[in-house]
Structure formats: C-alpha cells, structure tokens
Amino acid sequence: MSSLRKVLVIGSGGREHALSLRLLESESVGEVLLSPGNAGTHTAPPDLAHKILRNATGSPLEVAAREQPDLVIVGPEAPLCDGLVDQLSAAGFLAFGPSAAAARLEGSKAFMKDFALRHGIATARHVTVDSAASLERALAEFDAAPVVKADGLCAGKGVVVADSHDVAREAALGMLSGASFGAAGARVVLEERLRGAEASIHAISDGERIFVLPAAQDHKRIGDGDRGPNTGGMGTYAPAPLITPELAERVTRQILLPAIHGMAADGTPFRGALFAGLMVSDAGEPGLLEFNVRFGDPETQVLMNLIDGDFAEALIQAARGKLDPALLTLSKNSAVCVVLAAAGYPATPRAGDPIEGLDVAARMPNVRVFHAGTRLDAGRVLTAGGRVLGVTARGSSLAEAHQRAYQATEAIRFAGMQFRRDIAARALA
Ligand code: AMP
Ligand code: GLY
C-alpha cells in the first residue's frame, strides 16, 4: 500500500464525500482523509473496504503537516477565496483549487463581470453600484427590473431576482447598508434578467488546458414544480439533455476556454474546477450567469459517477499545471441525486433526528448515499444540518438512474425528512 497515494479533502458536505469516494476509486490512491468530514466519511463503503477513508480534525494546515498528503483538494468556495490553496502551496503541499487571486471569479461578482467583458465572454448587461447615492441612476438604466447581486460571497443567498424596480431598490439598499450581508454587500451588481432554463458545465483545468464534464441540472427550490424558497440545491441529474453536444461545444469555445485563457493572460492562471452557471434561452442561446471556482454541490454527486480514468492522477496533474486531458474519459452512464433535507430546511433546519435505513440503501447496487449534514452519536447517525444526505444512483439511462435513486430514497427515513419527487422529471418527460 505504501506506494499508493494519500489524499486530503477539505470540507464536510456531500460534495466532499462524493469527491472522496471517487478519489478512493482511483487506482493510484490508497487512502483519503476528510477534514472535518461527517458521519458518512469515517469509513470506506464495503466495495472500497480494501482502502482507507477517515476523518481528521484540526485546521487544514495542521492536518496537512501531520498527515503529509500527496494531494490536497479544497471543496468549498470560502477557504478558496481566503487563500487556503496559496497557504498550502507555500507550506510545500500540492493543492488542487484556484489561488485567492483566481478565486475572485466567484468571490467578486463585479470582478467576474469586468473580467467577462474584458475577455469577450457574453454575460447579461450590468452596472456596478457602490453607494445608495448612485443607485437611482443605475436602476434607471434598466427598462425591466434588474437582478440584484451582492458582490461578495453570501453562501448562495446574495442574488435577488426582482419582479419590480421597487423590489430591486429595496434589495440593493439592504445590501449597500450592510444590513443584508455585511461587507459582502458593500458593492452591488445590477444585471439584466435572462430567461430560459438553467444548467451548469464544469471543467477541470491546469491553467491552460481543460477537461469538460457533462452538463448537470440542479433543482434550487425546496418544493416540487420549483415552488417555495431557494435552497443550496435539492437534487441534480446529468447529463442534462438541454445541453446538446453542439451547445456544450459552444460553451467550451465561447465561455470556458476564454475564461481559462483570460485568467492566464491576466497573470492569475486558474487551476481547479471551474463551474459555469448557464441560462439557455428558448432560442437555444447560452448565457453565462456566474462562475463558481469549485465543484458544485450537489452537482459533484452526479458528476463523479460519469468520469472514467484515474481521477486523482488528473487532479494532481492539474494542480501541477500539466494536465493530460486524455487521462479521463466520460462514461456513457447517467446519474441522479435526490437530496434528503432536514425538517425546517431551508429557514430553520432541525438537528438531532436519528436516520434509519442507511445500511439497506448502502447494499443497493449502483447507489451511493453521500452524507452532508450528519453526525455520529454513540454509534447512531443523526441529522446535523439542512441538506442531510444525497441519495445518488447511476444507470445506463437517465430513467434507470432515476428509478434506482428513488428506490434507495424509500429505504431511508428520519423525522421531518423532506425531498423533491420531481428530480430529473423535466428531462424524462
Ligand atoms: P448566481 O449566484 O449568480 O448564479 O445566481 C443565483 C441564481 O440567481 C441563479 O442560479 C439564477 O437562478 C438566478 N440569476 C442570477 N443571475 C440571473 C440573471 N441575470 N437572470 C436571471 N436569473 C439570474
Ligand atoms: N449547486 C450550486 C452550487 O454548488 O453552487
């Protein structure tokens, strides 16, 4: 085992659990550590029991110093924007993820919009506002109510899709005053509202080359039929038929590659996972809504089912700036992830409910149950967050993956469990 690699994953969500198991499946990997991890990441699943999966406590730099991993992967956006990859690199560790300078693509909406304009990447028309005094003039530049975005990171809550100028004004004033998001709202981007259907495309990059993953669709609202409040994402499927091969090629040529080449030209090469959030108009035109500088959650839960090849080796090459994109290939499978959320989510998720049926679901073929908000208490798994589990299945068709994911969902129970019954329904219709 000693020549096999040890990989450290920073984070505690379903995304990190999915990344960890996909890394553990890589031929070159013998051990994956998660820090801090969750109740699902203490041990490897039965089919990977010949390898080691475990949690590690301490700050990321402490854990890295103690464990001496061959590769560190930083999952969430906040530590990326705070420069964790720069710090790990300075301490001599190989880390996959963008530098703080490159993470501004997600960390500042105003930066992202200026970057896109500078490098000819089409996005919605926008105006950046940094004071209440200049808000009225900016609002007047939009005939229809603009979308209002806090400049900085707001854990996915910083966007208001306003139905009127009054709603947009109120949202922008709340942000600019600091009342809504503190310093993250000190600048506000107003932008033209795009219409259509949303999808995302991820690319793994070494700063120059990219490996493009299949398009995925998330379901952001809590309720069936896209009703109710927004969440971190209630389920995903991939590949999304909305993104035809021609459209994916256009997104690669007109959005992903110009972004990677633009970041390199600006002296801040982007090494990591670049996630382009897209709006596809009824006429089939793709518009860029946002860049994220990391794998999506719960997009990763499905995407990890669709890549063949030594994933760990590819991330190592990307982190070193020397990715051979031919190392990875796309499988012909489809995957569906159904998120099981806690009672009260998204407003006030309840914690401490015991979860049953995990053992049954774990024995189902082609199913993985990724943990997010869970914790172990005297051998029992309890809910410990809003999004609790991501029940994920693969199949040779979307219909097969869908059927398996919902079958596994039926095996799991906890008090107040919420999930959507229409994940992937639109694509199957
Ligand atoms: P973002 O964090 O920029 O992706 O925004 C979060 C969500 O707000 C997106 O997934 C869209 O649903 C919505 N959104 C953002 N920008 C726009 C826009 N220009 N037009 C319509 N909806 C938008
Ligand atoms: N699922 C959306 C995100 O990760 O930002």
Side-chain angles (χ1 to χ4, degrees):
M1 266 315 248
S2 62
S3 64
L4 290 181
R5 287 174 169 139
K6 189 194 241 193
V7 182
L8 169 61
V9 176
I10 304 298
S12 64
R15 162 182 51 209
E16 286 78 19
H17 194 181
L19 284 169
S20 298
L21 294 193
R22 186 60 191 82
L23 287 160
L24 213 55
E25 287 167 354
S26 305
E27 241 168 74
S28 64
V29 172
E31 180 170 4
V32 176
L33 309 170
L34 281 104
S35 188
N38 57 46
T41 57
H42 286 280
T43 49
D47 58 306
L48 291 167
H50 57 296
K51 300 194 178 184
I52 299 169
L53 183 71
R54 61 188 169 91
N55 291 343
T57 51
S59 76
L61 283 158
E62 281 164 12
V63 176
R66 191 170 72 227
E67 300 283 353
Q68 297 293 313
D70 300 297
L71 173 70
V72 187
I73 293 154
V74 181
E77 62 274 18
L80 289 167
C81 291
D82 288 344
L84 182 55
V85 165
D86 308 77
Q87 292 161 25
L88 287 162
S89 306
F93 297 103
L94 185 67
F96 176 83
S99 65
R104 279 183 299 170
L105 276 182
E106 180 169 359
S108 167
K109 305 258 187 210
F111 172 87
M112 178 284 210
K113 298 296 288 190
D114 292 342
F115 171 85
L117 277 179
R118 212 163 53 240
H119 294 286
I121 301 170
T123 68
R125 184 173 66 84
H126 81 288
V127 180
T128 300
V129 179
D130 53 18
S131 72
S134 51
L135 180 61
E136 270 328 299
R137 191 146 29 99
L139 281 170
E141 291 190 35
F142 294 87
D143 291 335
V147 176
V148 182
K149 302 184 173 188
D151 181 49
L153 289 185
C154 300
K157 299 182 179 70
V159 175
V160 176
V161 181
D163 283 327
S164 69
H165 279 75
D166 286 343
V167 172
R169 179 183 299 105
E170 199 182 328
L173 287 174
M175 292 176 189
L176 289 165
S177 72
S180 302
F181 303 110
R187 271 199 299 183
V188 166
V189 171
L190 303 183
E191 110 180 1
E192 185 190 347
R193 179 168 177 180
L194 303 179
R195 307 266 176 179
E198 285 185 57
S200 67
I201 298 196
H202 288 63
I204 292 168
S205 181
D206 65 354
E208 209 179 307
R209 290 156 287 252
I210 59 177
F211 177 76
V212 181
L213 296 169
Q217 273 191 303
D218 193 1
H219 299 64
K220 298 214 170 172
R221 305 297 192 97
I222 187 80
D224 286 1
D226 293 329
R227 278 185 257 271
N230 257 321
T231 70
M234 291 299 290
T236 40
Y237 65 96
L242 171 71
I243 305 290
T244 60
E246 297 72 46
L247 211 50
E249 203 278 321
R250 271 185 69 189
V251 170
T252 300
R253 195 162 30 84
Q254 298 176 351
I255 296 177
L256 295 171
L257 280 172
I260 296 300
H261 295 155
M263 290 303 279
D266 289 353
T268 51
F270 186 95
R271 291 178 181 170
L274 184 64
F275 164 146
L278 307 168
M279 185 77 88
V280 181
S281 73
D282 292 343
E285 285 295 309
L288 176 66
L289 293 176
E290 63 170 342
F291 280 127
N292 294 320
V293 299
R294 45 154 180 98
F295 288 106
D297 188 343
E299 285 82 352
T300 307
Q301 286 85 319
V302 288
L303 294 176
M304 290 301 111
N305 280 282
L306 305 178
I307 308 172
D308 291 329
D310 195 316
F311 185 56
E313 174 64 20
L315 298 193
I316 284 175
Q317 289 186 0
R320 289 192 178 129
K322 291 195 180 65
L323 173 66
D324 173 9
L327 196 66
L328 299 177
T329 53
L330 297 180
S331 89
K332 297 209 155 42
N333 285 331
S334 294
V336 172
C337 171
V338 180
V339 169
L340 308 184
Y345 180 70
T348 48
R350 185 173 77 201
D353 290 308
I355 304 170
E356 285 165 59
L358 287 168
D359 47 340
V360 177
R363 284 196 297 272
M364 295 181 167
N366 297 297
V367 170
R368 294 261 195 227
V369 179
F370 299 117
H371 287 228
T374 65
R375 78 182 170 85
L376 273 181
D377 180 71
R380 285 193 318 171
V381 181
L382 303 182
T383 64
R387 290 187 293 172
V388 177
L389 299 166
V391 181
T392 308
R394 70 174 102 189
S396 57
S397 65
L398 197 58
E400 189 176 58
H402 174 267
Q403 191 263 333
R404 286 177 176 156
Y406 275 101
Q407 199 176 348
T409 298
E410 279 169 27
I412 299 173
R413 286 172 309 280
F414 53 87
M417 177 172 113
Q418 310 185 65
F419 64 96
R420 281 183 61 161
R421 283 152 177 89
D422 64 348
I423 304 301
R426 209 175 307 151
L428 289 168

